[in-house]
Amino acid sequence: MSKLTEALSQDKLGVCLKLEASEVKRVYRTTELLPDFDFIPYDGGTDKDYPVWHEFDLSDEAIFIHSLILDDYGYFVDDDPHDDPEYELPKATSESTGKLALELQMADRFGCRALVRGSLSGTSMEMNMDVRFNFIVASYSGESSRIGYAAEAIAEGFAFEEEGKLKQAFFSYFSALDSFVESEREKLNKGQSDDQRIKPDIRLMQKLQAIIKANMPPSVGGLDKVKNGETLRTVSTSAKNSETLSLTTRKQSRLLRPTLICALPSPPSSWRWLVMISTKKKRLGSTTL
């Protein structure tokens, strides 16, 4: 079980994709790039290197951003095959002028904004040309049909964790776990007699154990019998789009790090994934699951 937990903790985006707490998609924006002439004087038709930057509002595409890369950029030409993934946008108007050199400077995960900075080497003609930006974004943009509110809390926690705000991430993950457990408890209690119902006043971990036991097929024999390889292949297949993201690998922190783990190999119900918090009890302080 520890190997499964460790492996999935290295692919949290893949787990978020499976839980519908994140999705990977392409986002396109087209705009003119106007230099700030407070930094460098305008020289009209004379070739000159101008510093440029532009902020993009992506709030219509996401509520939380988990990862963002600038996949391509260049001058927009009407007849070019923009939708062809193999097509590279032109980054100059000729061999000697109109050169663009841009990079993604910052991504605001909660404000859902992207800042692109760089230089435009050219004249006023290039300043009046449209430049197209192709982003690849992993983000949460709406409620999950699989686990409801818990997906939003997981998405928020993952965004906090990517920013290194681990305390906020922990509380978001804990909120997701609590929401998921309560939802499943209510489902399991329907039609049950009072003595068979999962009580609302017991500890969260006891509720979780009862839910796992109720949904575990008899032939499995407990969580220790879950096949790690089979489970991880399920994650990999479902999250294949995440491979297009060149995510920066973060060093493991010694602070509290909630982990999303897969629990059930062959569930009788429609849900397959449980959210669990993997941590050492001594780091919880006075908090008891």
Side-chain angles (χ1 to χ4, degrees):
M1 192 64 193
S2 61
K3 292 182 179 179
L4 176 62
T5 304
E6 180 181 358
L8 287 177
S9 69
Q10 301 302 317
D11 185 24
K12 293 184 181 180
L13 176 60
V15 178
C16 285
L17 290 169
K18 185 67 178 180
L19 292 169
E20 297 178 359
S22 188
E23 60 178 335
V24 177
K25 60 184 176 182
R26 291 185 174 272
V27 175
Y28 306 101
R29 292 289 188 270
T30 302
T31 184
E32 294 180 356
L33 291 179
L34 298 178
D36 189 334
F37 298 117
D38 290 337
F39 286 86
I40 187 168
Y42 174 63
D43 271 351
T46 304
D47 281 337
K48 195 170 185 177
D49 289 337
Y50 293 98
V52 292
W53 55 86
H54 192 87
E55 185 176 275
F56 295 92
D57 182 0
L58 304 178
S59 59
D60 59 334
E61 300 285 348
I63 298 173
F64 305 113
I65 291 177
H66 299 137
S67 181
L68 181 70
I69 64 173
L70 178 57
D71 187 49
D72 194 17
Y73 65 88
Y75 290 105
F76 182 84
V77 182
D78 288 335
D79 296 334
D80 287 350
H82 306 104
D83 296 330
D84 184 350
E86 301 298 323
Y87 175 70
E88 185 175 349
L89 293 164
K91 295 171 180 57
T93 53
S94 69
E95 292 184 1
S96 59
T97 189
K99 293 182 180 179
L100 291 170
L102 305 171
E103 65 178 1
L104 179 64
Q105 185 75 18
M106 181 274 294
D108 183 345
R109 290 184 171 85
F110 294 91
C112 297
R113 299 191 305 272
L115 177 64
V116 173
R117 298 186 66 175
S119 65
L120 185 158
S121 179
T123 67
S124 58
M125 182 186 75
E126 283 79 21
M127 295 177 199
N128 293 320
M129 294 181 65
D130 285 336
V131 178
R132 180 182 170 102
F133 295 84
N134 296 348
F135 296 99
I136 299 178
V137 57
S139 62
Y140 175 77
S141 57
E143 184 175 342
S144 165
S145 60
R146 182 179 289 260
I147 57 175
Y149 166 75
E152 182 175 345
I154 292 169
E156 181 184 50
F158 189 33
F160 274 130
E161 188 174 359
E162 287 297 286
E163 292 198 344
K165 299 175 180 178
L166 300 183
K167 289 183 180 179
Q168 294 94 323
F170 171 77
F171 285 113
S172 293
Y173 286 141
F174 192 93
S175 176
L177 176 60
D178 184 61
S179 173
F180 177 81
V181 168
E182 284 303 307
S183 175
E184 291 301 316
R185 184 185 69 83
E186 291 175 3
K187 290 178 185 177
L188 289 173
N189 282 348
K190 289 181 179 179
Q192 298 290 339
S193 60
D194 288 342
D195 60 329
Q196 292 179 317
R197 291 180 179 177
I198 303 172
K199 302 298 186 291
D201 54 350
I202 61 176
R203 290 178 176 177
L204 183 61
M205 186 56 71
Q206 291 175 302
K207 295 177 187 178
L208 182 58
Q209 290 170 343
I211 290 169
I212 293 174
K213 182 178 179 181
N215 283 275
M216 185 68 71
S219 59
V220 172
L223 289 178
D224 291 337
K225 303 299 182 180
V226 174
K227 294 182 180 179
N228 295 2
E230 178 182 351
T231 306
L232 291 176
R233 282 196 296 272
T234 303
V235 175
S236 177
T237 301
S238 302
K240 61 181 179 181
N241 289 334
S242 68
E243 295 175 0
T244 63
L245 287 174
S246 301
L247 298 174
T248 301
T249 302
R250 293 184 173 272
K251 294 182 179 179
Q252 294 295 319
S253 169
R254 282 183 281 180
L255 294 176
L256 191 64
R257 291 181 67 86
T259 302
L260 306 174
I261 70 169
C262 169
L264 302 181
S266 304
S269 60
S270 61
W271 58 278
R272 184 184 185 93
W273 299 84
L274 280 176
V275 182
M276 295 183 67
I277 295 177
S278 174
T279 185
K280 293 184 179 179
K281 193 172 184 180
K282 65 180 180 180
R283 292 181 181 171
L284 285 174
S286 60
T287 303
T288 305
L289 296 182

